[in-house]
């Protein structure tokens, strides 16, 4: 199995305008280096410590995306370098990211995570909670954060109709949010992060602009 070959095959299936995040969690630096040599520059990790170790030892033009659940007390470890945080799901977390970004004199780009699945194991906001963040006074005062889009995960199921329904729900919430909130100074909605190895084709049919693909590129993970 060759990572560069897998990467090439995945890229050929992407629709125009869809950005690939190569999900390298649990994989060694050598695997990332192979994808890097094949031209990949965006990598996704779900643990801040692991991502920071990789950031420190790998080329500095890599864009690191945090795709996992983020604990507030760990934001500081990635604030200097993280390029996009996908899983933001509370005002308190947005506040902490803004605060750490300010310390580093930069703006950190984030996606707000929506809950669209039929499972209670997945994190995320509902649309009312999402609107509450956009409309809050606290959010209006934040100068070091930019909300660039929305992220979600579909239910883990074989039922493709259900998966599509969920992805299309995210697309609809994205369109509504863009209409209502894109004029805000710290909102610039352009990214819909949805789709993983097993469901990214369905996600693209529903308007995904960013897919997060791990096992189809790097092989299965052994936890
Ligand atoms: C692990 C992970 C992925 C990639 O999953 P694959 O099935 O390996 O493609 C995508 N998104 C999130 C949030 C993940 O945790």
């Amino acid at each position: 199995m060759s990572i560069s070959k897998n990467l090439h095959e995945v890229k050929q299936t992407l629709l125009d305008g869809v950005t690939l995040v190569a999900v390298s969690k649990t994989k060694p630096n050598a695997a990332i280096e192979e994808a890097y040599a094949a031209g990949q520059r965006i990598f996704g990790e779900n643990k801040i410590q692991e991502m920071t170790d990789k950031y420190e030892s790998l080329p500095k033009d890599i864009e690191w995306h945090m795709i996992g659940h983020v604990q507030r007390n760990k934001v500081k470890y990635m604030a200097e370098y993280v390029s996009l945080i996908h899983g933001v799901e509370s005002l308190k977390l947005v506040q902490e990211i803004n605060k750490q970004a300010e310390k580093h004199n930069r703006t950190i780009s984030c996606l707000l995570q929506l809950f669209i699945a039929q499972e209670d194991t997945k994190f995320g906001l509902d649309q009312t909670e999402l609107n509450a963040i956009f409309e809050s006074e606290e959010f209006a005062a934040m100068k070091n954060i930019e909300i660039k889009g929305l992220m979600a995960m579909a239910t883990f199921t074989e039922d493709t109709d259900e998966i599509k329904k969920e992805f299309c729900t995210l697309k609809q919430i994205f369109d509504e949010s863009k209409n209502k909130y894109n004029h805000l100074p710290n909102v610039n909605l352009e990214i819909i992060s949805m789709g993983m190895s097993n469901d990214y084709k369905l996600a693209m049919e529903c308007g995904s602009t960013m897919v997060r693909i791990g096992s189809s590129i790097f092989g299965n993970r052994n936890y």
Side-chain angles (χ1 to χ4, degrees):
M1 186 209 69
S2 146
I3 290 169
S4 55
K5 187 162 167 279
N6 293 345
L7 181 67
H8 184 71
E9 280 174 11
V10 166
K11 276 185 174 168
Q12 284 197 313
T13 64
L14 298 183
L15 299 181
D16 279 351
V18 175
T19 300
L20 172 64
V21 179
V23 176
S24 49
K25 63 189 184 193
T26 78
K27 298 293 174 181
N29 288 352
I32 298 175
E33 280 163 346
E34 190 177 339
Y36 181 90
Q40 182 64 24
R41 291 295 179 274
I42 305 177
F43 292 90
E45 292 283 335
N46 70 340
K47 299 228 161 60
I48 294 174
Q49 182 62 57
E50 182 179 343
M51 182 170 80
T52 301
D53 291 345
K54 287 171 171 173
Y55 160 73
E56 282 167 359
S57 47
L58 288 162
K60 287 294 173 287
D61 62 341
I62 289 178
E63 286 181 31
W64 293 101
H65 287 203
M66 173 42 59
I67 62 169
H69 184 63
V70 177
Q71 285 171 277
R72 261 183 288 154
N73 60 353
K74 292 192 177 158
V75 171
K76 55 179 177 282
Y77 301 116
M78 63 176 169
E80 176 195 347
Y81 71 89
V82 70
S83 140
L84 184 65
I85 304 176
H86 289 235
V88 180
E89 51 165 9
S90 73
L91 183 62
K92 283 186 164 170
L93 181 57
V94 181
Q95 279 171 315
E96 176 63 15
I97 295 168
N98 183 65
K99 183 176 133 195
Q100 295 299 333
E102 197 177 345
K103 280 191 187 163
H104 291 276
N105 204 13
R106 63 179 293 231
T107 299
I108 296 182
S109 298
C110 296
L111 308 180
L112 295 172
Q113 182 169 357
L114 270 286
F115 177 84
I116 54 171
Q118 296 287 352
E119 305 167 344
D120 47 36
T121 54
K122 297 208 164 118
F123 296 103
L125 304 157
D126 64 29
Q127 198 173 3
T128 308
E129 294 165 332
L130 175 74
N131 292 348
I133 292 180
F134 282 131
E135 290 170 17
S136 70
E137 281 174 32
E138 293 93 331
F139 180 66
M142 294 180 200
K143 297 199 159 48
N144 294 76
I145 198 149
E146 182 171 43
I147 305 298
K148 302 220 21 156
L150 304 180
M151 178 271 208
M153 280 188 272
T155 304
F156 188 73
T157 171
E158 304 276 291
D159 181 351
T160 55
D161 287 342
E162 173 62 28
I163 295 172
K164 270 189 91 164
K165 192 182 97 196
E166 293 172 7
F167 283 147
C168 291
T169 299
L170 183 66
K171 163 72 170 150
Q172 193 188 334
I173 296 173
F174 176 87
D175 289 341
E176 288 173 25
S177 303
K178 195 165 168 158
N179 274 334
K180 270 172 96 174
Y181 303 116
N182 220 38
H183 66 280
L184 299 173
N186 47 10
V187 178
N188 182 16
L189 297 178
E190 51 192 29
I191 298 171
I192 307 175
S193 169
M194 58 185 187
M196 322 197 339
S197 292
N198 288 330
D199 58 18
Y200 74 95
K201 288 176 186 161
L202 298 170
M204 291 191 302
E205 288 175 32
C206 297
S208 171
T209 70
M210 186 172 274
V211 292
R212 311 175 307 269
I213 300 182
S215 41
S216 292
I217 297 171
F218 295 108
N220 290 329
R221 291 175 292 274
N222 326 299
Y223 286 99

